[in-house]
Amino acid sequence: MEFCPNCGCRLEPRKDGEQVVLACSKCDYTKQANGNSRSQAKVIKVIQPTVQPFMTVVTAEESKISTLSTIKMKCEKCSNTECYVWQVQTRGGDEASTQFLRCTKCGHTFREYT
């Protein structure tokens, strides 16, 4: 294993025409690979990951099921009196958490600082 003298990154084998060279991916430094070292071994084939198609994890039926707690609170938009509630630590750990509420009827989401 060899490292770039300019930036210290590892030199990777790369095919340059008919020759194999050791190249730095950061600063484009190249060096002729010598036959005695292990680093000349093989040019590695890079396999690019394929993008997977969008996958639905929660179906429309499952999204109707709610596991959130509900409380009696008036919605600012539709005046419904029941809301889902959950808490998130949005500020520093030494400060109180923020309580989020979502109306069970219209879906309006609002927050209450506790």
Side-chain angles (χ1 to χ4, degrees):
M1 184 179 300
E2 291 187 44
F3 297 93
C4 177
N6 298 335
C7 64
C9 289
R10 190 175 76 173
L11 297 177
E12 299 286 338
R14 187 186 303 165
K15 197 162 190 165
D16 185 23
E18 294 296 317
Q19 298 178 350
V20 175
V21 295
L22 297 174
C24 176
S25 59
K26 187 174 181 182
C27 70
D28 294 327
Y29 169 82
T30 58
K31 173 186 173 182
Q32 181 68 34
N34 54 13
N36 299 343
S37 70
R38 291 182 176 181
S39 58
Q40 187 195 350
K42 299 175 188 172
V43 174
I44 300 169
K45 181 178 179 182
V46 177
I47 299 171
Q48 295 295 328
T50 56
V51 178
Q52 297 295 320
F54 180 75
M55 179 175 39
T56 303
V57 176
V58 179
T59 64
E61 268 186 44
E62 290 170 332
S63 68
K64 292 177 186 174
I65 301 169
S66 177
T67 58
L68 294 172
S69 301
T70 57
I71 62 169
K72 300 288 181 193
M73 184 170 234
K74 188 175 181 180
C75 174
E76 303 164 345
K77 238 180 177 179
C78 70
S79 299
N80 183 32
T81 58
E82 189 174 39
C83 295
Y84 297 117
V85 63
W86 68 97
Q87 291 186 355
V88 179
Q89 188 69 38
T90 56
R91 294 170 282 179
D94 60 338
E95 296 182 38
S97 58
T98 304
Q99 184 168 292
F100 288 89
L101 301 120
R102 179 172 293 142
C103 178
T104 57
K105 184 177 177 184
C106 71
H108 173 65
T109 304
F110 53 102
R111 63 182 153 204
E112 182 180 74
Y113 297 102
T114 54

